[in-house]
Amino acid sequence: MPASPSTARAINDRLALDLLQREGPLTAGQLKQLTGLSRPTVADLVERLTASGLITVVGESGEQRRGPNARLYGIVADRAYLAALDVRTESVSVLVSDLVGRVLAEGSVPVAPEEGEAAAVEQAVELVERAAKEAGASGGGGLPHTVGIGAPGLVDPATGELRDSAGLPVWHRRLVAALQERFPQARVGVENETNLAALAEQREGAARDRDTFVLLWLGDSCGAAVVLDGSLRRGASGGTGEIGFLPVPGTTGLPTATDCSGGYHSLVGAAAIVELAREYGVGSGGLSADRVVEEAVGLSAGGAPTAPQRGAGNCATSHDGAAPAPRPNPAPARFLDALADRIALGVAAVVAILDPGCVVLGGEIGPAGGAALATRVEARLRRMSPLATEVRAGTLGGAAVLRGALLTARERAQDELFAAPDR
């Protein structure tokens, strides 16, 4: 059946708004070209969207032609403000943006769980309030309009709430309700942090050309996110990608329902990586896992000099009087090889089940290892699996969670604000 006039108008309006969101300001002529709509139809929708306060004239095209320059129309960016949170065990980070995604304020605070659940929640809520004020979002209607939260743990697909998972702080589960109470007009949602990182890498990072891929999060904890045919897969209980519990060889035991220390996490979690580096004599004391990996990559690429060999008379020069050429230190390369061996175990299991064609190494560790680590993992995978799989280093690192939370918050706000008004 043909669409009714009101339905057709709604479809055309949303098409134009999506184009303006993706492409930035456009003239009416550009909208006509990109949408394929007639000039009168474009003129009508521009007038309609301007009257509704969704778009406005933001400048002129500057085209060299006779007559006045064409008006440029853009989304009214301050129609809604958005907040994105990355909630870790002992810290919270926040971004506040306008409706087109321009970041206006950001900040982070350490959270001390030992001070109590209520204090931890209040620290996180106050951080959002401060960032909203800095962005100018606290006035005029009690913005932010939408809040997206990325947190570790399982999100119940039926209720959209964090499940009561062992090992996760209680204050995480109270945060959504506290934000909703402080910002009663806001739409507050929570999503698993690894899932958000995958969405960010797909939109803005290493997987922009992939509709099907798996992101392996490598940081203090490990996890995986599965994107198949462009859709994020969460599983029946929200637990798709809980790869830290995967039983693998090389651990001292098996994981349990409440403890992943005997699973894949024992091999590729940050603490395990630091310990592995220590075994190979890599990394200065006190360095985080990502810094250790980054240092190893640099040393393995450039070659680190070893102590000069001393002969008779402690002479450290060659026969012609020149200092000997530095010899590469193999330890960093061997450490990266051993780390790739560990990572490949989990990747091979994922590939055998899902055949994603591409695996992105994310979190803090994946980008730190870059192509040097990704290439090693891919080489081992070729020996372990008959399924062709490209392994890439993530490009967004730890920031991927915040970016993913911001993207999902923006989509939720757009779905509401861009919806056709009741007619």
Side-chain angles (χ1 to χ4, degrees):
M1 294 179 61
S4 66
S6 62
T7 300
R9 285 194 295 269
I11 293 172
N12 293 339
D13 289 355
R14 185 58 191 259
L15 176 59
L17 287 165
D18 287 344
L19 281 169
L20 290 168
Q21 185 73 49
R22 186 173 68 247
E23 303 291 337
L26 298 169
T27 66
Q30 289 169 327
L31 281 171
K32 174 183 177 297
Q33 180 180 7
L34 291 171
T35 61
L37 299 173
S38 68
R39 188 177 300 277
T41 300
V42 170
D44 286 344
L45 74 82
V46 166
E47 181 179 355
R48 193 164 51 246
L49 294 175
T50 301
S52 66
L54 289 173
I55 70 172
T56 189
V57 176
V58 296
E60 295 182 344
S61 66
E63 294 174 353
Q64 298 298 319
R65 60 182 180 83
R66 293 182 180 179
N69 290 334
R71 293 176 176 178
L72 280 169
Y73 295 93
I75 300 289
V76 178
D78 59 1
R79 177 69 181 267
Y81 290 87
L82 317 169
L85 282 78
D86 179 2
V87 181
R88 304 293 176 99
T89 303
E90 297 182 349
S91 68
V92 178
S93 299
V94 65
L95 293 178
V96 175
S97 84
D98 58 22
L99 189 56
V100 299
R102 184 171 57 244
V103 175
L104 305 173
E106 55 188 309
S108 62
V109 293
V111 173
E114 65 273 10
E115 295 181 6
E117 176 186 332
V121 170
E122 186 61 24
Q123 284 178 290
V125 174
E126 287 180 351
L127 175 65
V128 178
E129 284 186 320
R130 289 196 302 271
K133 288 180 179 179
E134 182 182 339
S138 56
L143 299 169
H145 177 282
T146 307
V147 180
I149 304 170
L154 306 183
V155 177
D156 190 317
T159 65
E161 298 176 352
L162 276 173
R163 290 176 52 188
D164 185 4
S165 304
L168 293 179
V170 176
W171 67 271
H172 281 192
R173 297 192 296 278
R174 287 196 52 196
L175 183 57
V176 172
L179 286 168
Q180 195 70 77
E181 181 179 350
R182 192 69 58 93
F183 305 107
Q185 84 298 329
R187 291 80 179 155
V188 182
V190 63
E191 178 60 271
N192 173 268
E193 59 181 359
T194 307
N195 288 344
L196 291 177
L199 292 176
E201 290 286 3
Q202 186 183 33
R203 305 283 183 80
E204 302 177 347
R208 279 175 289 185
D209 60 338
R210 291 283 181 168
D211 288 331
T212 295
F213 71 99
V214 168
L215 179 129
L216 178 62
W217 179 272
L218 298 169
D220 289 335
S221 60
C222 66
V226 178
V227 177
L228 300 178
D229 299 324
S231 297
L232 184 67
R233 307 296 181 175
R234 295 176 175 84
S237 62
T240 295
E242 286 295 307
I243 198 171
F245 287 88
L246 181 72
V248 290
T251 63
T252 57
L254 290 173
T256 68
T258 58
D259 186 2
C260 64
S261 60
Y264 186 53
H265 170 80
S266 299
L267 297 183
V268 298
I273 291 174
V274 170
E275 179 59 32
L276 180 66
R278 188 178 297 117
E279 293 175 11
Y280 282 88
V282 175
S284 308
L287 285 182
S288 61
D290 57 311
R291 289 289 294 115
V292 168
V293 172
E294 192 175 67
E295 181 178 282
V297 170
L299 291 173
S300 64
T306 58
Q309 297 296 310
R310 304 280 181 176
N314 273 344
C315 179
T317 59
S318 62
H319 291 295
D320 61 3
R327 295 182 301 162
N329 184 347
R334 289 191 289 111
F335 160 68
L336 291 174
D337 289 340
L339 178 57
D341 288 338
R342 292 185 173 193
I343 294 173
L345 289 175
V347 173
V350 168
V351 167
I353 300 298
L354 297 175
D355 187 18
C358 178
V359 173
V360 175
L361 305 182
E364 291 83 10
I365 306 301
L373 182 59
T375 300
R376 284 172 163 85
V377 174
E378 184 175 320
R380 283 149 181 78
L381 192 60
R382 283 199 298 269
R383 296 197 296 266
M384 299 169 69
S385 171
L387 306 176
T389 307
E390 183 180 3
V391 179
R392 301 177 179 179
T395 59
L396 301 179
V401 177
L402 270 177
R403 294 302 307 171
L406 188 58
L407 288 167
T408 55
R410 191 170 74 178
E411 287 181 355
R412 289 189 66 195
Q414 289 173 358
D415 284 343
E416 178 179 324
L417 295 172
F418 293 175
D422 294 333
R423 289 183 171 88

